Amino acid sequence: MKKNLTLVLLSVLLSTVAAVAVVKLTDSSKKNYVYSSVENANIRQVSFGEQNFPDFTYAAESCVDGVVFVKVVKREQGGGQASILDHFFGFGSPYSMPRERAGSGSGVIITPDGYIVTNNHVVAGATQIEVTLNDNKTFPAKLVGTDPVTDVALLKVDAEGLPAIPFGDSDALRLGEWVLAIGSPFNLRSTITAGIVSAKGRSLPDMSGEFKIESFIQTDAAVNPGNSGGALVNVKGELVGINTAIASNTGSYTGYSFAVPVAIVKKVIDDIKEHGSVQRAILGISMVELTQELASLAQMEGNFSGVYVAELNRSGAAYKAGVREGDILVAIDGKKMKNPSEVQAAINTHRPGDVVELLVFRDGKEISMSATLQGESNVSAADGDNPVVLGAVLAEPDAALLKKLRIRGGVEIAEIGNGKFKQAGVSKGFIITHINQTTVSSVKEVVEIVGKAKRAILVEGMYKNGDVYYYGVGI
């Protein structure tokens, strides 16, 4: 009997020891995942602890309330032939009636007091803008300013204590790093998708021929129509980009999406807040991708890196600093340049008057030089809250004045100094109604049109006494 009891106790003890051993060996808090691959008969093993696997819950939960739904109303000219009423009574335009079209996108709250950043293409031409928070509170939004060159726009709502997303460092992003895209694709509010950073400094072909500053973050996070203007955040819950575009033959996501880096966004919105328009610095070079043949021309051997300087503006910052055609621009402020997009992005973080350190390669050696960046000739710094364009201070005219002149909108020459407007004969108080036969009703529209002009513009408008004038203004 005692022998049987001893055997039972011994069995229980061994079972207990075995159970403890199994628990220890299968403890999920300490387990490792081992992956191996065979390449050229060499076995490589990589061990990942569980903590190395991505957890997006913090970033998603902390940032989702900082992304808003943006609804816009745009007025367009409808198609179709003029009716008999249009002909005799002047209803609408000569050939069409205006109609309103609704659009939508996303935006990111960047300050608790109501500043919101979105894409320019989301709000361009909008007559009414409305934002809806994640808790369904709705606010009318004012368009503070836009920058078509970087496709960034700044909105403002009258609210306090909003859940802003903190800025991160887009320059510190690494290839393969996890990111989240948050927005409202197809009106599906607060949608979160995940992906990795696929590339940096990416540019897209622009068929419009307009100048663009593009140094996109490319990701494989799913982005669709409606995501435009939404947030790209890292796993720390920091804003690293504004989702802007997709590369697709169908118009929907096919594996590639692009975001404006927050380093560019910060500079643009700071300029809009301080000056009313972007203070864009210019280096004054035309550049192309560096190839083996171009590197050989500059006697650069071995591993080559940089951009090839094809042409120079003889009065530009780079030429004055000593850069010459055929040089290879290797670095700006110590940061290596790999393609023209990276050069554009680096210069776009500066303002006119800033000094940058250039490193160029010429005749088999590297040369350092300092360049003082210049600004755009057409649009200069603001005078108070109003931008100065071609020597003239622009302002929104008084509503009573517009009613008296029987015009729907325009832009007033509030002050005029030495510049192209004065040279053309324009005087203070002139109300600009059209530029190049395009109706203008806001200061930003004048800034955009003049900023894109290459040679001259035709300006139409009237003075406060009702006299209509036309001016040809050189650029």
Side-chain angles (χ1 to χ4, degrees):
M1 184 69 178
K2 290 184 179 180
K3 184 177 181 180
N4 291 337
L5 181 60
T6 301
L7 289 174
V8 171
L9 292 175
L10 183 60
S11 298
V12 172
L13 179 61
L14 290 174
S15 298
T16 303
V17 172
V20 171
V22 169
V23 170
K24 290 292 185 180
L25 291 173
T26 60
D27 186 357
S28 62
S29 66
K30 296 181 180 180
K31 65 184 177 182
N32 287 335
Y33 299 83
V34 179
Y35 300 89
S36 65
S37 62
V38 179
E39 287 188 2
N40 300 325
N42 294 321
I43 298 177
R44 299 185 305 171
Q45 291 188 337
V46 181
S47 178
F48 291 99
E50 187 178 77
Q51 67 273 15
N52 291 327
F53 283 81
D55 183 356
F56 304 129
T57 54
Y58 172 78
E61 292 172 355
S62 63
C63 294
V64 67
D65 289 336
V67 179
V68 301
F69 176 72
V70 179
K71 180 181 178 181
V72 300
V73 175
K74 301 181 181 182
R75 176 164 292 193
E76 299 178 337
Q77 292 300 121
Q81 298 296 321
S83 69
I84 190 68
L85 293 177
D86 291 330
H87 180 76
F88 286 103
F89 297 102
F91 295 151
S93 65
Y95 298 104
S96 61
M97 292 292 290
R99 61 184 180 185
E100 290 187 341
R101 180 174 65 87
S104 64
S106 304
V108 182
I109 302 172
I110 56 173
T111 62
D113 60 347
Y115 279 101
I116 297 170
V117 66
T118 185
N119 285 145
N120 172 70
H121 75 260
V122 171
V123 297
T127 57
Q128 181 181 338
I129 305 173
E130 182 181 88
V131 302
T132 302
L133 307 187
N134 196 37
D135 61 3
N136 289 325
K137 292 180 180 178
T138 300
F139 299 90
K142 173 186 176 183
L143 181 60
V144 180
T146 67
D147 181 38
V149 172
T150 54
D151 199 16
V152 172
L154 184 64
L155 308 177
K156 180 69 169 67
V157 298
D158 187 12
E160 296 289 342
L162 297 182
I165 300 180
F167 287 126
D169 184 358
S170 55
D171 292 336
L173 282 176
R174 301 178 64 186
L175 300 183
E177 182 174 341
W178 284 101
V179 286
L180 302 181
I182 308 176
S184 301
F186 304 117
N187 289 334
L188 298 172
R189 311 278 180 88
S190 306
T191 295
I192 303 170
T193 57
I196 62 168
V197 175
S198 305
K200 296 170 61 178
R202 188 73 84 193
S203 62
L204 295 174
D206 179 40
M207 302 306 177
S208 68
E210 297 178 358
F211 174 67
K212 297 284 186 183
I213 295 237
E214 294 184 342
S215 184
F216 291 121
I217 302 166
Q218 180 183 330
T219 81
D220 64 351
V223 170
N224 282 292
N227 271 112
S228 292
L232 186 74
V233 301
N234 58 23
V235 293
K236 299 177 183 177
E238 299 170 331
L239 184 69
V240 292
I242 298 297
N243 296 315
T244 298
I246 56 178
S248 170
N249 293 326
T250 65
S252 296
Y253 174 75
T254 55
Y256 305 96
S257 56
F258 302 87
V260 181
V262 77
I264 293 178
V265 174
K266 285 170 61 178
K267 193 266 181 182
V268 169
I269 60 178
D270 286 345
D271 279 357
I272 290 175
K273 282 184 178 181
E274 296 175 17
H275 306 290
S277 60
V278 178
Q279 307 300 293
R280 182 156 288 112
I282 295 176
L283 187 57
I285 65 174
S286 294
M287 51 196 163
V288 296
E289 294 274 359
L290 185 61
T291 63
Q292 181 66 62
E293 291 76 15
L294 293 175
S296 298
L297 289 176
Q299 301 179 32
M300 179 179 277
E301 300 176 354
N303 295 329
F304 57 89
S305 178
V307 296
Y308 184 80
V309 179
E311 293 183 42
L312 284 159
N313 180 343
R314 300 286 169 165
S315 59
Y319 186 84
K320 291 180 179 179
V323 180
R324 295 296 178 261
E325 293 176 0
D327 286 351
I328 297 175
L329 178 57
V330 177
I332 298 177
D333 289 333
K335 182 179 180 181
K336 297 287 186 180
M337 298 291 107
K338 298 178 182 177
N339 53 56
S341 293
E342 289 190 356
V343 175
Q344 287 185 348
I347 297 301
N348 199 49
T349 59
H350 292 278
R351 293 183 173 87
D354 288 352
V355 178
V356 295
E357 297 300 322
L358 307 179
L359 181 65
V360 302
F361 191 92
R362 180 195 305 161
D363 298 331
K365 60 182 179 180
E366 292 183 340
I367 306 171
S368 297
M369 55 191 71
S370 298
T372 302
L373 300 176
Q374 299 176 352
E376 294 177 306
S377 59
N378 295 348
V379 183
S380 61
D383 179 13
D385 293 329
N386 301 317
V388 180
V389 177
L390 302 177
V393 179
L394 303 183
E396 304 289 346
D398 184 70
L401 176 61
L402 294 178
K403 184 176 181 181
K404 175 184 175 183
L405 297 175
R406 296 183 178 180
I407 56 178
R408 292 184 177 181
V411 176
E412 183 178 356
I413 305 291
E415 299 289 342
I416 192 161
N418 293 326
K420 299 293 185 177
F421 270 119
K422 187 173 183 180
Q423 294 173 11
V426 181
S427 300
K428 176 182 176 181
F430 183 67
I431 307 295
I432 301 172
T433 57
H434 296 78
I435 298 180
N436 293 341
Q437 300 182 343
T438 299
T439 302
V440 293
S441 57
S442 67
V443 171
K444 77 177 186 66
E445 291 177 345
V446 175
V447 171
E448 290 174 5
I449 294 174
V450 175
K452 297 174 183 177
K454 301 299 182 184
R455 299 183 62 183
I457 55 175
L458 175 64
V459 179
E460 176 186 347
M462 63 176 61
Y463 286 97
K464 296 180 179 180
N465 61 3
D467 290 343
V468 177
Y469 278 78
Y470 299 83
Y471 295 99
V473 181
I475 299 300

